[in-house]
Amino acid sequence: MPSRLEDLCVQKGLKMTDQRRVISRVLSNAADHPDVEEVHRRAAAIDHRISIATVYRTMRLFEEAHVIDRLDFGDGRARYEGTRTDHHHHLIDVDSGEVIEFTNEEMERLKEAIARELGYDLIGHRLELYGVPRNRRGEPSGGA
Amino acid sequence: MPSRLEDLCVQKGLKMTDQRRVISRVLSNAADHPDVEEVHRRAAAIDHRISIATVYRTMRLFEEAHVIDRLDFGDGRARYEGTRTDHHHHLIDVDSGEVIEFTNEEMERLKEAIARELGYDLIGHRLELYGVPRNRRGEPSGGA
DNA sequence: TTATATGCAAAGATTTTGCTTTCTG
DNA sequence: CAGAAAGCAAAATCTTTGCATATAA
């Protein structure tokens, strides 16, 4: 059975190879935000005939076709998630590294309003919040 | 005359070398968001006795001391700006690459509220809007 | 003086690319 | 079959680091 993202690829007219099917499946099943190395690891577990170069090339292709979204959590490498219909954002728990997704209608409205006010049409945006759990306390946020 | 950021460094107890003074000055005078290479270029124009390695080390030091903020506009390298008192964000003009800064009190409140609702204390955040000028036309804004 | 900073070049990490072979449509 | 994709390894970016020398406090 074709994965959700595989369907999306076909819909967009992408030529489908075994590798792309596997990567589609990995990303369709991912509940998290894997980086390229992790995608490659999971893909290779399904079918080892897949190189890291192909993963890189495929991620770029998928990104340009809007099949996936590239994320950036500030750690120097790209993370990915399958493109979704809901506009959502991420809160990164800096203690655990956990990523919490959230949606917020007011935020959507506000972003549009700000862009319009500045004379722009919004075509993209990125919001990440970095936080620490509220009931855990005492973390010194001091220097080095 | 010491630059604004040089004062900040001294205030934070950082040992001041000629290189750090020059970098402080470059960043104090920057109205944009230079990357490391650009900082090095400008610093070397003032005093060539400064290596790219020192710029990297100094940027990290300054960032950790909260003398500067690291930004990320999604192009794979870090950008910097002197730390300011106002919480501001960036709208990137994807046509020209120009970066427009803005502040928005409602946004500040909203972010805090969202984090609190999710059970977190906000310690950082990042918001970038990507837009195209509204009075320039012809760009098909199609896509998913 | 003594710990710290700098320069240089080598090493790391992530991502891209040239070229040959393989495969999709 | 023709043009596109994959694999592999080399290269390109951006950033960090080891070590000897120079410098701030």
Side-chain angles (χ1 to χ4, degrees):
Chain A
M1 187 185 122
S3 65
R4 184 178 77 83
L5 293 184
E6 181 181 341
D7 279 342
L8 233 182
C9 289
V10 171
Q11 213 171 289
K12 305 248 178 183
L14 300 184
K15 184 188 278 190
M16 291 311 284
T17 63
D18 287 347
Q19 289 84 341
R20 289 180 184 177
R21 260 184 286 273
V22 169
I23 293 172
S24 298
R25 191 168 133 200
V26 163
L27 292 167
S28 291
N29 293 338
D32 52 353
H33 309 87
D35 59 23
V36 167
E37 205 180 318
E38 182 60 28
V39 172
H40 179 237
R41 193 174 299 124
R42 296 179 194 177
I46 297 174
D47 180 347
H48 71 271
R49 299 170 314 139
I50 186 168
S51 72
I52 189 90
T54 293
V55 178
Y56 272 107
R57 278 191 274 236
T58 302
M59 300 314 267
R60 185 154 57 157
L61 177 79
F62 283 8
E63 189 193 348
E64 282 167 0
H66 298 287
V67 169
I68 61 177
D69 287 321
R70 182 177 16 166
L71 308 175
D72 182 333
F73 295 155
D75 56 359
R77 65 219 133 127
R79 311 296 204 89
Y80 295 91
E81 70 181 7
T83 293
R84 293 164 24 179
T85 48
D86 63 322
H87 280 204
H88 65 283
H89 304 284
H90 301 95
L91 186 153
I92 295 97
D93 181 330
V94 301
D95 279 1
S96 69
E98 191 190 353
V99 177
I100 292 106
E101 299 186 344
F102 65 89
T103 62
N104 187 292
E105 273 312 311
E106 203 181 333
M107 178 64 75
E108 299 305 312
R109 268 195 300 279
L110 186 53
K111 284 180 321 195
E112 294 284 353
I114 290 171
R116 194 164 331 120
E117 212 166 294
L118 292 170
Y120 282 81
D121 279 329
L122 202 59
I123 63 168
H125 53 84
R126 180 164 56 191
L127 170 65
E128 281 119 36
L129 304 181
Y130 296 84
V132 291
R134 267 177 65 224
N135 46 349
R136 186 187 297 186
R137 29 153 306 126
E139 210 71 22
S141 53
Chain B
M1 188 185 121
S3 64
R4 185 179 75 83
L5 294 185
E6 181 180 340
D7 279 343
L8 234 181
C9 287
V10 172
Q11 214 171 290
K12 305 246 178 184
L14 300 184
K15 183 189 281 193
M16 291 313 284
T17 63
D18 288 347
Q19 289 85 341
R20 290 180 183 176
R21 259 184 287 273
V22 169
I23 293 173
S24 299
R25 191 169 132 199
V26 163
L27 291 167
S28 291
N29 292 340
D32 53 352
H33 309 88
D35 59 24
V36 168
E37 205 179 319
E38 181 60 28
V39 172
H40 180 237
R41 194 173 298 125
R42 296 179 194 177
I46 297 175
D47 180 348
H48 72 270
R49 299 170 315 138
I50 186 167
S51 72
I52 188 89
T54 292
V55 178
Y56 271 107
R57 278 191 275 234
T58 302
M59 298 314 266
R60 184 154 58 158
L61 177 79
F62 282 9
E63 188 193 347
E64 282 166 0
H66 298 287
V67 168
I68 61 177
D69 286 322
R70 182 179 14 169
L71 308 174
D72 182 332
F73 295 155
D75 57 358
R77 65 219 134 127
R79 313 296 205 89
Y80 294 90
E81 70 181 6
T83 293
R84 294 164 23 182
T85 48
D86 63 322
H87 280 206
H88 66 282
H89 303 285
H90 301 95
L91 186 153
I92 294 97
D93 183 330
V94 301
D95 279 1
S96 68
E98 190 190 354
V99 177
I100 292 104
E101 300 185 343
F102 66 89
T103 62
N104 188 291
E105 273 312 311
E106 202 181 334
M107 178 65 76
E108 299 305 311
R109 268 196 299 279
L110 186 53
K111 283 180 322 195
E112 295 283 353
I114 290 170
R116 194 167 329 120
E117 213 166 291
L118 293 170
Y120 283 81
D121 278 329
L122 203 59
I123 63 168
H125 52 83
R126 179 164 57 190
L127 169 65
E128 283 118 36
L129 304 182
Y130 296 84
V132 291
R134 268 178 63 223
N135 46 349
R136 187 186 295 186
R137 28 151 306 122
E139 210 70 25
S141 58

